[in-house]
Amino acid sequence: RGGEGLVASCVICAETFDSGKHRPAVGACDHGGICALCFMRLRLLMEDRACPLCKASLEHVYVFNGDATTMQPFASLNIWGTEAGPGYVYDERASMFMPRAFHRDVFAPMQGFR
């Protein structure tokens, strides 16, 4: 974050963060080395709500609207209850905040494969 110690790829799937399927995501523990797709798989398929790095229980996960350069600390995000600002939706099943287009184009279609 802020260019210092920036993680450029997901520690699970090793894909480079991008503004498509592999957007960076973060929970309250601020470990930002997991992509949105891997968080989605962990939370929905494996029913695992823990950070894969520190094992902290994550009530919510926030998906960034861009590549690794858009990452911020979780505490600085504009989250109020289940609202994360314009252009963001909250998926209750996954407890994830994500850009509306990501939810529509990537997240929602993949939920049918469970």
Side-chain angles (χ1 to χ4, degrees):
R1 285 154 285 224
E4 189 176 314
L6 190 66
V7 178
S9 61
C10 178
V11 298
I12 296 174
C13 68
E15 291 288 339
T16 301
F17 291 134
D18 58 27
S19 57
K21 289 182 182 178
H22 300 282
R23 295 171 189 231
V26 69
C29 65
D30 275 335
H31 286 123
I34 300 100
C35 75
L37 192 58
C38 286
F39 257 129
M40 181 186 82
R41 289 175 177 151
L42 286 168
R43 295 173 81 79
L44 294 175
L45 299 177
M46 305 303 293
E47 297 180 5
D48 185 354
R49 303 286 170 133
C51 171
L53 300 176
C54 70
K55 304 303 180 202
S57 179
L58 299 177
E59 182 179 355
H60 303 291
V61 169
Y62 184 93
V63 178
F64 293 96
N65 196 14
D67 61 16
T69 62
T70 63
M71 292 173 61
Q72 301 173 39
F74 190 83
S76 72
L77 300 170
N78 189 24
I79 296 172
W80 184 261
T82 58
E83 297 294 322
Y88 266 75
V89 296
Y90 179 71
D91 186 272
E92 285 187 34
R93 213 169 124 231
S95 298
M96 292 174 69
F97 297 96
M98 60 193 75
R100 189 174 310 281
F102 178 82
H103 186 269
R104 180 193 64 233
D105 299 338
V106 177
F107 191 85
M110 294 184 109
Q111 289 191 49
F113 292 109
R114 189 166 200 280

